[in-house]
Amino acid sequence: MPLRYFTAGESHGPALIAILEGMPAGFPFPTEFINQQLYRRQQGYGGGPRMKMERDQAEVLSGVMDGQTIGSPIAMRVDNLNHARWVGKDIDSFTTPRPGHVDLTAAVKYGYRDLRPGLERSSARETAARVAVGAVCQAFLAEFGIRVGGYVRTIGSVKADLSTMSLEERLACVDESEVRCPNPDASAHMINAIRQTMQNRDTLGGIIEVVALGLPVGLGSHMQWDRRLESRLAAAIMSVQAMKGMEIGDAFENAHLPGTQAHDGIRLDGDQLIRPTNRAGGLEGGITNGEPLIIRAAMKPIATTLTPQDTVDLATGTEQPTEYERSDFCPVPRAVVVLETVVAITLADALLEKLGGDSMDEIRPRFETLRKATLTDLPMDGTPHTFWPK
Ligand code: EPS
């Protein structure tokens, strides 16, 4: 896969670092857009006090000259302002693992004497570095008219009815809502549900939908398991902290239906092969089919609850209630930006794989020559043929 990225950094360490490799040369570097996306990631009702302390900004350390990418690895740094309050600080040991958190599994696996090293790296703070990478990929995709966006569908038991809104309408108003839900009524109910949850000293999860518009036909492949775009998107979504499930299109609903009701009929509109419905969510056989990509992801309610839960103090060997660590109450609205990020990275990778090339000058004309889903663009003439000819 042509695009690779890494992140490094702990939640309360000096900084987060991201390295993105594989971006072509000659692409206008979107510094302002990266910082806008970092800002968006910090907004959303249900966040914790940490978000008021940080002012995330990306400092670009390599890969860019004169405002353009030069094809070399792009390194970015996002400082943790909160680090100043933690450096050199004596802190109590933390030995009561939270159910559902990495605390216990990381401590067993790495042999830590305290739970903090595990939570420092597993923290969703890491997603700031990923959002910087994703913003570069989103700007790259935008060069080809491809747009990735997301919004909240449910928070706790509150579901938004979005059936009367087109995908474009949903994306256009998402940031007007404090919970990133395009339906204002549902938004108000979601805010109430989060407020109630905070009063109950608890946390809430939800379902986020991410869509990509303007995709060409032919990204991904059925030829090998790890080239299927479904599998690459699933890995990307499930790599985000607290994501526990995902579907493409109407996957879970389709599982209850007979085949004649679950698929999208293929029709002709002039020369163009079209699908009046999109239950497949834009992918067939691991390959984009030209319809909007639609992904839903299930985020668990985060594990850090003000109300104590059952655990064991690993230092004393006694059953104890959990101790509270500062945290978010409902990070679902903020996670929208993170999911947009990982989907954009996966699609930028798939587009670069399809087109090849090291510079935008090479890549742009190749995009124009991509095969279209039209009868004239397909070399089928109905000639009989022999299978496995000797
Ligand atoms: C998080 C706990 C909180 C969140 C954090 C994720 O941080 P802290 O422990 O410093 O209060 O705010 O998210 C971020 C810092 C961020 O930038 O997203 C956790 O336990 O995962």
Side-chain angles (χ1 to χ4, degrees), residues 94-97 311-320 323:
F94 179 37
T95 52
T96 47
T311 193
V312 170
D313 186 331
L314 304 177
T316 62
T318 52
E319 290 187 350
Q320 296 280 334
E323 294 159 56

Side-chain angles (χ1 to χ4, degrees), residues 45-290:
Y45 193 77
R50 175 81 184 270
M51 284 309 99
K52 299 203 167 49
M53 301 168 192
E54 301 291 346
R55 296 279 173 274
D56 291 343
Q57 297 267 306
E59 183 191 353
V60 183
L61 304 172
S62 71
V64 183
M65 283 186 194
D66 272 343
Q68 300 242 317
T69 55
I70 58 169
S72 65
I74 297 167
M76 291 178 282
R77 174 189 166 115
V78 179
D79 283 335
N80 290 323
L81 300 183
N82 200 225
H83 176 65
R85 297 199 196 179
W86 286 71
V87 63
K89 188 177 173 185
D90 291 327
I91 41 176
D92 293 340
S93 71
F94 179 37
T95 52
T96 47
R98 291 160 286 181
H101 203 277
V102 77
D103 295 340
L104 182 55
T105 47
V108 172
K109 181 173 168 70
Y110 290 91
Y112 296 138
R113 300 176 60 197
D114 185 277
L115 298 175
R116 283 189 198 280
L119 72 91
E120 278 290 332
R121 178 61 187 156
S122 72
S123 166
R125 176 80 191 137
E126 182 264 350
T127 61
R130 285 207 251 184
V131 166
V133 169
V136 178
C137 293
Q138 271 182 291
F140 169 72
L141 291 170
E143 293 276 313
F144 302 95
I146 300 168
R147 176 166 180 214
V148 179
Y151 44 86
V152 169
R153 281 224 76 126
T154 76
I155 284 188
S157 59
V158 184
K159 294 190 176 75
D161 178 4
L162 305 178
S163 56
T164 58
M165 300 178 86
S166 68
L167 296 177
E168 288 82 359
E169 283 167 345
R170 297 176 195 181
L171 297 186
C173 66
V174 62
D175 281 349
E176 287 163 24
S177 155
E178 275 189 285
V179 282
R180 294 211 164 91
C181 174
N183 175 328
D185 276 352
S187 273
H189 285 110
M190 287 172 182
I191 289 169
N192 276 339
I194 297 171
R195 191 176 296 132
Q196 191 60 54
T197 298
M198 289 173 178
Q199 278 162 14
N200 296 347
R201 304 164 73 79
D202 218 323
T203 58
L204 269 186
I207 296 175
I208 293 165
E209 200 159 280
V210 183
V211 304
L213 309 175
L215 286 170
V217 181
L219 304 190
S221 175
H222 62 297
M223 293 296 183
Q224 203 61 262
W225 64 272
D226 58 351
R227 295 180 59 198
R228 288 181 177 269
L229 202 55
E230 282 100 333
S231 81
R232 291 155 69 177
L233 287 164
I237 295 282
M238 298 300 278
S239 76
V240 175
Q241 290 84 338
M243 297 302 154
K244 285 292 186 180
M246 68 93 74
E247 68 174 335
I248 293 173
D250 295 336
F252 285 97
E253 202 183 303
N254 285 347
H256 301 296
L257 296 175
T260 48
Q261 292 171 36
H263 297 289
D264 307 303
I266 302 169
R267 306 281 298 273
L268 264 184
D269 180 8
D271 188 39
Q272 179 87 32
L273 295 152
I274 56 152
R275 292 166 186 75
T277 57
N278 186 18
R279 302 182 69 87
L283 286 170
E284 285 170 306
I287 303 175
T288 53
N289 66 7

Side-chain angles (χ1 to χ4, degrees), residues 13-25:
L16 299 161
I17 298 286
I19 297 181
L20 170 63
E21 186 188 88
M23 266 292 143

